[in-house]
Amino acid sequence: MNELLSDLDKSVSFWPSINAFFGAMLGASFYVLVKTQPYLANRSYDPKYNASYISRFFTGVTGGMILSIALGPFISGKLGTALDQSLSPGVIALLGGFSARAVELILQRLVEVLMAAVRGDGSDDAKAKLAVAAIAKDDAVKKALDAVIDAQASGAPAAKVKALLDGVRDEVAKPTRF
């Protein structure tokens, strides 16, 4: 038995993992207790919801472990490296155990970022469509201006030239659609 304990002492990651596991259990337990306490206080607790609370407990423990082990170094690094500025794996796991929904949102956001990195964010397609739409608008404005120039050169009445100029103004004012 002493040999087993001495081997565990040599493992660098064993004790922080145990700390994280019990922190996650504590956070998940606290969440379940907070949610069930009003029902217990007014004696309206219904045992048919036991599976939901047990499921939430295991979800919280899993979320706490994910937050502590996978994201803990990143979170602690953002807070600073001084002793009073870092969070232990147990504290990070406690937070993740209490708020499994927050861990889920963090993981979903990370997946979205990775997918955007792989497939792109679509900005190149949008820029290309906008460039095509801008060229089409420029062509329409050029045609309208050519009509004004032709009308002026052929001696068209002022009312017709004004109408053509109004058409140019309207064409320029149109929003670019793509």
Side-chain angles (χ1 to χ4, degrees), residues 57-87:
F57 173 77
F58 285 113
T59 303
V61 172
T62 304
M65 292 299 291
I66 289 171
L67 189 66
S68 176
I69 292 173
L71 302 174
F74 176 75
I75 293 170
S76 291
K78 288 292 183 185
L79 293 175
T81 56
L83 184 61
D84 60 345
Q85 293 178 332
S86 63
L87 295 175

Side-chain angles (χ1 to χ4, degrees), residues 22-47:
F22 284 110
M25 287 181 61
L26 185 63
S29 299
F30 184 65
Y31 177 85
V32 171
L33 287 173
V34 166
K35 291 300 176 185
T36 58
Q37 190 275 333
Y39 301 111
L40 295 171
N42 66 14
R43 297 175 187 228
S44 65
Y45 181 80
D46 191 352

Side-chain angles (χ1 to χ4, degrees), residues 4 15 38 60 72 87 99 101 125 142 176:
L4 177 66
W15 292 113
L87 295 175
S99 182
R101 177 76 176 130
D125 292 339
K142 285 178 187 176
T176 304

Side-chain angles (χ1 to χ4, degrees), residues 68-122:
S68 176
I69 292 173
L71 302 174
F74 176 75
I75 293 170
S76 291
K78 288 292 183 185
L79 293 175
T81 56
L83 184 61
D84 60 345
Q85 293 178 332
S86 63
L87 295 175
S88 72
V91 172
I92 294 172
L94 186 139
L95 295 172
F98 183 77
S99 182
R101 177 76 176 130
V103 176
E104 177 188 358
L105 292 174
I106 290 169
L107 293 176
Q108 284 178 346
R109 181 65 183 134
L110 286 173
V111 168
E112 289 171 6
V113 168
L114 288 174
M115 289 178 68
V118 170
R119 73 169 176 240
D121 61 357

